[in-house]
Amino acid sequence: MNFVFTKATKKAVKARIAIEGPSGSGKTYTSLITGRSLAGPTGRIAVIDTEHRSASLYADEFDFDALELDSYDPQILIQALAAAAQAGYDVVIIDSLSHFWMGTDGMLEQVDRAAKRSAGGNTFGGWKEMRPVERRMIEAMLAYPGHLIATMRTKTEWVIEENERGKKVPRKIGLKAEQREGLEYEFTLVATMDQENTLVVTKSRCKALSGAVISKPDESFGRVLGDWLEDGEAGPTAVEIRDEITSNPDATYDELIAIYRKAERHGLLAAEIVTDTGDPMRLGDFIRQRGLEAKARAARAAEAAEQPAEVAA
């Protein structure tokens, strides 16, 4: 195998934001105001709502479309992201991602069901079956062609603190996010919020926001991040690559290999798309499928070309 190193360049990318916090800390509102800033004046926002229509409480202040769910199978999130990409939403907010971990039909329930189906009936067998599904869900989020914001609930507890007047008062604090261990490493920016609606950036690849502490974040938070994300060379989207393929149904195998490599360079192979037949599929799988079809066409053409010579003989 030949290894070729090329000069690194900064590419324009989309936001991948996780906002953690206890109930009432302002995760939904902050996601909406950040999403509006990232989308711009003409951008469209979609909310995948698992919080019993809580986002709709802000419909008088923000313009967005909502998909309200009551089942949180990871496969449903994959399909919803494919539909959002097909519809061209500039920002998708998952409020909250925790439900796809510990909610009805979420990962933990799916693992339990898979464990009961496995030969040994143990949890290990359940995780072995469901890990690829969880990985595909995460890849679908990371490869979404627009900005993505996910809220996560945190386990909470009450502590007694002394206020500014010296009086002992209870305060609810957030602890660990209700989600798979280490999921926060997948995001560009991770922030926590408390009951005073203070946002603390705990991880950021954007230096201007690293370690930031912001009381009641406004649109300037999203603008700073958006400016940093857009400062680079723009690349194609998964939908654009899909359209390139569907517009040329007779593409050769070599042409599809070149398209595959382009999608790979831009980290889009795991992006969920809706195919020209209306089926959700990963872009990489779609290109591979078309490649096999191109190979079959070439084989049939070669066989047809040889047929007259065989008949003449």
Side-chain angles (χ1 to χ4, degrees):
M1 179 180 291
N2 293 325
F3 296 94
V4 179
F5 292 85
T6 59
K7 184 173 177 57
T9 59
K10 186 176 186 296
K11 293 179 171 58
V13 294
K14 301 298 182 180
R16 300 290 180 260
I17 302 171
I19 301 178
E20 305 174 350
S23 175
S25 59
K27 301 186 299 296
T28 301
Y29 188 89
T30 300
S31 296
L32 286 166
I33 201 167
T34 303
R36 183 169 67 185
S37 179
L38 290 169
T42 61
R44 299 168 61 226
I45 300 172
V47 176
I48 299 173
D49 187 352
T50 72
E51 296 282 358
H52 307 291
R53 299 161 178 80
S54 63
S56 297
L57 296 173
Y58 304 115
D60 59 338
E61 190 172 345
F62 300 95
D63 183 14
F64 62 91
D65 297 332
L67 174 65
E68 295 161 351
L69 300 177
D70 52 18
S71 173
Y72 313 115
D73 185 330
Q75 297 278 14
I76 290 177
L77 180 56
I78 293 168
Q79 294 166 12
L81 289 169
Q86 173 74 3
Y89 285 103
D90 301 277
V91 178
V92 166
I93 298 171
I94 305 170
D95 186 37
S96 73
L97 185 58
S98 293
H99 283 79
F100 293 96
W101 174 253
M102 39 68 75
T104 303
D105 300 324
M107 270 294 298
L108 296 182
E109 284 195 6
Q110 296 289 347
V111 168
D112 286 343
R113 293 170 188 169
K116 291 174 183 176
R117 292 193 299 268
S118 67
N122 56 50
T123 304
F124 177 80
W127 282 112
K128 183 178 180 180
E129 179 178 329
M130 289 307 300
R131 278 298 187 203
V133 177
E134 183 189 35
R135 188 64 234 172
R136 182 171 177 180
M137 180 186 74
I138 294 170
E139 289 173 346
M141 291 191 296
L142 299 180
Y144 183 73
H147 301 291
L148 184 136
I149 304 171
T151 69
M152 300 184 201
R153 290 181 174 186
T154 57
K155 296 178 181 178
T156 60
E157 69 175 28
W158 289 90
V159 297
I160 303 299
E161 295 183 340
E162 190 175 285
N163 65 14
E164 64 276 6
R165 289 179 284 185
K167 184 178 178 180
K168 300 289 186 180
V169 294
R171 185 169 73 90
K172 185 164 67 171
I173 62 171
L175 301 173
K176 182 180 178 294
E178 294 181 327
Q179 190 50 256
R180 177 174 68 82
E181 187 76 30
L183 182 63
E184 64 273 16
Y185 297 117
E186 307 282 2
F187 292 87
T188 308
L189 183 144
V190 180
T192 62
M193 297 194 71
D194 62 20
Q195 292 301 120
E196 285 73 45
N197 307 138
T198 299
L199 179 145
V200 179
V201 177
T202 57
K203 173 203 169 181
S204 175
R205 294 193 175 104
C206 172
K207 289 182 180 179
L209 291 173
S210 182
V213 179
I214 306 168
S215 177
K216 294 181 171 59
D218 58 20
E219 291 196 15
S220 62
F221 170 67
R223 281 196 296 269
V224 170
L225 180 60
D227 290 345
W228 177 76
L229 291 167
E230 292 171 5
D231 181 22
E233 176 188 349
T237 68
V239 172
E240 289 170 345
I241 292 179
R242 179 207 63 188
D243 291 346
E244 180 183 352
I245 295 168
T246 56
S247 66
N248 183 13
D250 297 321
T252 66
Y253 181 76
D254 288 342
E255 288 172 335
L256 288 162
I257 284 289
I259 293 173
Y260 185 92
R261 297 302 178 211
K262 177 169 68 173
E264 185 177 41
R265 286 196 306 274
H266 292 280
L268 296 174
L269 293 178
E272 294 290 333
I273 59 166
V274 175
T275 69
D276 48 347
T277 58
D279 300 314
M281 185 181 289
R282 284 188 289 196
L283 179 62
D285 293 338
F286 179 61
I287 302 172
R288 281 189 286 268
Q289 180 187 81
R290 289 301 176 96
L292 292 174
E293 292 172 1
K295 267 189 171 181
R297 282 197 308 272
R300 288 195 299 270
E303 184 178 349
E306 292 175 2
Q307 190 68 27
E310 293 174 359
V311 170

